[in-house]
Amino acid sequence: MKLRLLGLALSAGLPAGLGQSPAQLQPAALTSLASVQIWNDRVVHVTHGGGGEARPSLTVVSRPQLPAQPYSRHGMTTPLLDVRLGEGGRVEIFDRAGRRIVGEADTPPGPGVRQSFTLDPDEAIYGLGQQPDGALDRVGRVVHLEQRNGRTAVPVLLSSKGYVLLWDNPAITDVDVGRAARDRVTWASEAGRGVDYYVCFGPSPEEAMRAYRELTGNAPMMAEWTLGFWQCRERYRSQEELLGVVAEYRRRGVPLDGIIQDWQYWVPGTWGSHAFDPSRYPDPKGMVEAVHRAHAHIIISVWPKFDLGQAHTAELEKAGALYAPVYPSVYPKGQNRWYDAFNPRARRIYWRQISESLFRLGIDGWWLDASEPELSGKWGEFRQQMTAAGPAAEVYNAYPLEHTAGLYQGQRAESSAKRVFLLTRSAYAGQQRNSAVTWSGDIQGTWEVLRQQIPAGLNFVASGIPYWNTDTGGFFGGDPADPKYAELFTRWFQFSAFCPMFRVHGTNRPKEIWRWDPATQRVLADFINLRYRLLPYIYSTAHAVTLGGSMMEPLPMAFPGDPSLAVVTDQYLFGPALMACPVTAPGASSRPVDLPRGADWTDFWTGRSFSGGSVITGDAPISRMPIFVRAGSILPYGPAIQYAGEKPGAPVEIRVYPGADGDFSLYEDEGDNYDYERGESSTIAFHWDDTARTLSIAARRGEFPGMVRERKFRIVAVAPGRGAGLGPSDSVDAEIGYDGSAATVRLPSQPFSR
């Protein structure tokens, strides 16, 4: 369904140097409307300027689902939305009850491509990528969207009113969220071909995010092993050193699934060769095979940067796929060149070079360092260049999207036996579809930075990209021999155990678990073991993410009916059941915990329950991070294992948290290939009836090669001292053998203790 108004003046201009002088640039006037298109029941697409034809979207992958209908001056409707033209031709979007969701507003003058939108007095705004400013609600701030190490530019916001707005412009952009005027959000991009945006409606924030993911592509399933524990360092300097770390984890009986070879494994002066220095890595293929024999996996650092004088650089240059030398003040001889990720041929060459050099060795994934790329705007030269997609000024922020797309598509075309895994320093809208996890950059190891990381990660996932993590303890970290740093690292480690990726990294001193004092080692090992016992829950949550859900979810997104949560920046849901409450102050033995209203909550460590809508004091000795479980949750709690998939047939404890009805779907597949896309997977649906105190287990749906067909479930209704804490329960309420047939278990009545 598309509305086009003809004969209206074009006033949304191009930036200086791209067709007009600054004096000619005008705000996007209300009469510059080019088209409104109903994408589906929940999504509206609006463009202004550009003669009615906006730049082909790099972000959007779906197509309109509704057939075209003639425009009526009364507007256009879907079962959920009512799109109207307001005073002066403003586009306004209402729900079917007549409540305005969002509308265009008067736009203040200025250069570039600009558009303002209404902002209600009680509206909160989340998202806009990762910004290390310590804020969750963006209202009252100007957010600068420019890819940098430590900042990610994602032009997507999530409103507490239940809509997502995608500003489909990859130029460097400032977003004034109610700072200049409390009643509007103003987007101002320094380049572009006209205003282009999408509104995705919920009505809940979670449903709005699902609609946005459908529009821009859902996240594929991550391999199960990627959800375990990762160890890395800047950097392992030899084959012997890397293998020694894996062997020591196995010798100590501490679970591990991934190790990372960081940069500089190549001969000096051959950046981009993707070749190991034979003097330090005499048998790379043998090294990878040894890691695999230890039931671990290895990923490796690859950059979009190339030294001159080597074959890979020459091949890309011959194909016209390298940018001209930039920022000569840093590289006066231009000895480093960056490839044009916007060029499809360049992406194919880049993947083939990596495949022939590294994928053939059995490398399991790719650490995409400097994926901004490291052509920062503070020098300015890069924005003067031409990319295959047009002037760099117009597409600047989308480089990581195209860079990750090249590797994802390249590996998928070559093999479906191993799921793509990308760890990347930068991100752009739609990048979730490229199987990418973003880390928060080269950060400092301080308490202040730890506090900033939590809302930074929450706003990142509220921008539509569900997989995120951080350098535990900070990249520029301290010394494990320093007790003060050991406390900081422990608290950061507890937080990281409840992030989508659980990874230790850093420069300076090594941070493997044996580097710490014995008391710290015990706490770290406990949280690694907790992560592995939760893997059935985490992997099932990952499947929900692939269907459009979230793993790390801001509380205001999960509980939109509780406005008091808008100021809670340091708690979040980890999956549907668990609420993580990191400790971010030195010397703390407790912390305040906001319990969202509309649910009761149980302390994971003690089994004691509390009413929602209150603030309590959560116990937080150094050995414990407060974790609360929503009433009605069904938590599959797995066996003690050393690596993902070690004991597929071992009994699983099913922890039921009384106080409300609840559901959970236990998802399983082969763990590391794409057969699940053909339906080779299984789900087991659990339902808890709190009044009848019965747990119903549905018949298994689906199957896959190697599936465990008969298994044992140990079922416990959580109460004080029962089903609580790290270890398995000494006694349970029921134990059943499950062969895939439906079963119902009635649990004994217990008082609901607060």
Side-chain angles (χ1 to χ4, degrees):
M1 182 189 297
K2 194 167 187 178
L3 159 66
R4 183 177 301 278
L5 299 185
L6 301 178
L8 300 179
L10 168 63
S11 61
L14 297 176
L18 294 177
Q20 292 183 337
S21 68
Q24 293 175 292
L25 300 176
Q26 301 293 329
L30 296 174
T31 56
S32 67
L33 176 64
S35 68
V36 177
Q37 189 169 31
I38 301 296
W39 216 248
N40 58 39
D41 288 353
R42 299 180 185 273
V43 180
V44 177
H45 180 208
V46 180
T47 60
H48 294 252
E53 298 300 327
R55 166 185 297 284
S57 178
L58 297 172
T59 297
V60 174
V61 296
S62 68
R63 295 293 179 265
Q65 296 177 1
L66 298 183
Q69 297 181 14
Y71 167 66
S72 162
R73 67 175 56 251
H74 300 293
M76 297 176 289
T77 62
T78 80
L80 295 173
L81 299 174
D82 184 0
V83 184
R84 307 175 190 171
L85 293 181
E87 181 182 353
R90 293 188 184 97
V91 176
E92 296 180 301
I93 302 173
F94 296 79
D95 66 18
R96 294 306 301 274
R99 181 187 67 125
R100 186 174 65 183
I101 300 166
V102 67
E104 295 177 349
D106 289 335
T107 304
V113 178
R114 307 167 64 85
Q115 180 64 57
S116 293
F117 299 90
T118 55
L119 181 66
D120 288 355
D122 59 347
E123 186 174 357
I125 297 294
Y126 309 101
L128 298 175
Q130 173 196 284
Q131 311 295 331
D133 56 12
L136 186 60
D137 186 356
R138 295 299 187 197
V139 173
R141 295 174 178 268
V142 176
V143 181
H144 182 65
L145 299 182
E146 178 180 354
Q147 304 290 7
R148 294 284 184 91
N149 185 353
R151 297 175 180 267
T152 60
V154 185
V156 175
L157 64 76
L158 171 67
S159 167
S160 60
K161 292 174 64 179
Y163 69 87
V164 167
L165 192 149
L166 162 65
W167 178 257
D168 200 6
N169 184 326
I172 293 172
T173 299
D174 285 321
V175 191
D176 184 324
V177 189
R179 183 172 178 178
R182 181 57 182 85
D183 64 348
R184 65 177 174 236
V185 177
T186 298
W187 298 75
S189 295
E190 69 172 24
R193 302 182 184 178
V195 171
D196 191 336
Y197 66 89
Y198 295 77
V199 173
C200 307
F201 178 58
S204 71
E206 290 179 332
E207 287 302 314
M209 187 57 65
R210 289 182 188 276
Y212 169 78
R213 295 263 196 83
E214 181 182 352
L215 180 72
T216 61
N218 274 317
M221 281 294 294
M222 295 291 181
E224 187 179 19
W225 60 267
T226 67
L227 301 172
F229 175 63
W230 292 75
Q231 179 67 59
C232 57
R233 182 198 310 170
E234 193 286 305
R235 58 201 180 272
Y236 297 119
R237 298 174 183 271
S238 70
Q239 174 176 329
E240 180 182 19
E241 184 179 29
L242 184 146
L243 291 177
V245 169
V246 175
E248 187 64 13
Y249 270 98
R250 291 290 180 252
R251 187 186 74 80
R252 291 173 176 266
V254 177
L256 177 76
D257 261 290
I259 193 162
I260 305 177
Q261 175 61 61
D262 202 351
W263 67 337
Q264 303 286 0
Y265 54 87
W266 50 80
V267 173
T270 62
W271 215 316
S273 66
H274 313 310
F276 288 92
D277 181 347
S279 68
R280 295 179 291 127
Y281 302 86
D283 183 10
K285 186 173 179 61
M287 178 182 70
V288 174
E289 290 172 347
V291 171
H292 290 167
R293 285 196 299 273
H295 302 285
H297 296 78
I298 179 172
I299 74 170
I300 195 165
S301 174
V302 291
W303 290 56
K305 181 166 68 172
F306 294 80
D307 280 335
L308 299 182
Q310 45 125 351
H312 286 172
T313 314
E315 182 183 19
L316 286 162
E317 187 164 35
K318 183 178 180 180
L322 293 178
Y323 296 132
V326 295
Y327 47 97
S329 59
V330 178
Y331 298 118
K333 297 181 181 179
Q335 68 265 37
N336 292 125
R337 302 281 294 278
W338 299 77
Y339 93 105
D340 184 2
F342 296 98
N343 183 327
R345 184 181 179 194
R347 294 196 297 269
R348 290 192 294 270
I349 293 172
Y350 185 83
W351 165 252
R352 179 175 50 74
Q353 291 175 349
I354 288 174
S355 176
E356 292 174 352
S357 301
L358 297 170
F359 193 49
R360 67 176 180 83
L361 302 177
I363 296 289
D364 299 298
W366 317 105
W367 188 347
L368 306 185
D369 212 338
S371 57
E372 296 84 20
E374 211 167 54
L375 298 172
S376 176
K378 66 184 178 183
W379 285 289
E381 290 96 332
F382 177 58
R383 280 180 283 171
Q384 307 302 317
Q385 298 211 34
M386 184 65 68
T387 77
E394 291 187 3
V395 296
Y396 181 89
N397 281 330
Y399 189 97
L401 174 66
E402 297 298 274
H403 183 41
T404 55
L407 278 86
Y408 176 75
Q409 294 165 4
Q411 184 175 325
R412 286 300 312 263
E414 189 165 331
S415 173
S416 291
K418 181 181 294 187
R419 292 179 193 168
V420 179
F421 183 81
L422 307 177
L423 177 60
T424 173
R425 197 168 76 185
S426 290
Y428 188 70
Q431 194 161 304
Q432 71 279 353
R433 64 180 180 257
N434 294 336
S435 202
V437 179
T438 299
W439 97 93
S440 60
D442 299 341
I443 52 178
Q444 298 287 335
T446 68
W447 287 100
E448 180 183 6
V449 171
L450 171 58
R451 286 188 287 271
Q452 292 172 347
Q453 287 294 289
I454 301 168
L458 294 176
N459 270 320
F460 181 83
V461 299
S463 307
I465 308 176
Y467 289 103
W468 177 90
N469 76 123
T470 178
D471 287 351
T472 301
F475 177 71
F476 300 107
D479 187 345
D482 177 0
K484 292 183 178 180
Y485 181 67
E487 181 190 8
L488 170 63
F489 185 86
T490 299
R491 293 307 195 185
W492 207 315
F493 195 89
Q494 293 167 345
F495 162 57
S496 292
F498 287 82
C499 289
M501 185 181 184
F502 182 17
R503 181 183 59 92
V504 170
H505 184 54
T507 189
N508 302 330
R509 302 286 184 174
K511 299 176 186 175
E512 291 82 12
I513 193 169
W514 54 89
R515 313 291 182 182
W516 307 87
D517 65 90
T520 299
Q521 287 187 44
R522 286 192 292 272
V523 179
L524 304 184
D526 280 349
F527 272 80
I528 295 174
N529 281 299
L530 176 57
R531 175 79 175 202
Y532 277 83
R533 286 192 178 275
L534 289 171
L535 271 184
Y537 168 79
I538 296 171
Y539 196 57
S540 297
T541 300
H543 179 245
V545 168
T546 293
L547 299 178
S550 297
M551 181 176 292
M552 185 179 184
E553 188 172 18
L555 294 185
M557 181 175 168
F559 300 95
D562 189 345
S564 67
L565 299 176
V567 297
V568 179
T569 64
D570 59 355
Q571 297 173 215
Y572 57 93
L573 286 189
F574 185 68
L578 302 176
M579 183 170 65
C581 310
V583 178
T584 61
S589 58
S590 64
R591 60 149 291 168
V593 173
D594 286 79
L595 299 176
R597 66 183 64 164
D600 290 325
W601 297 88
T602 298
D603 186 327
F604 173 84
W605 301 104
T606 67
R608 184 185 175 195
S609 294
F610 301 86
S611 297
S614 60
V615 179
I616 65 169
T617 298
D619 291 335
I622 191 63
S623 62
R624 186 181 296 178
M625 179 183 80
I627 305 165
F628 287 82
V629 190
R630 189 182 346 205
S633 294
I634 301 165
L635 184 68
Y637 200 64
I641 54 176
Q642 290 295 294
Y643 55 88
E646 183 188 17
K647 301 175 183 177
V652 174
E653 185 171 305
I654 304 297
R655 296 185 175 183
V656 178
Y657 291 81
D661 293 349
D663 295 278
F664 186 80
S665 181
L666 180 64
Y667 173 85
E668 296 175 302
D669 60 24
E670 293 173 85
D672 193 9
N673 60 37
Y674 287 97
D675 291 350
Y676 76 88
E677 293 181 341
R678 303 197 306 266
E680 295 191 6
S681 62
S682 76
T683 56
I684 302 172
F686 293 80
H687 174 72
W688 170 248
D689 184 322
D690 196 60
T691 301
R693 292 192 63 82
T694 57
L695 180 68
S696 300
I697 309 174
R700 180 192 289 121
R701 298 183 62 183
E703 60 180 345
F704 57 91
M707 182 180 73
V708 175
R709 296 185 177 276
E710 298 186 7
R711 62 192 320 157
K712 184 180 293 184
F713 291 134
R714 305 177 73 246
I715 303 165
V716 57
V718 176
R722 288 178 56 80
L726 174 62
S729 299
D730 294 329
S731 62
V732 296
D733 295 309
E735 191 171 284
I736 68 167
Y738 180 77
D739 63 2
S741 302
T744 299
V745 180
R746 181 177 175 83
L747 302 186
S749 297
Q750 295 174 353
F752 189 52
S753 176
R754 300 190 190 280

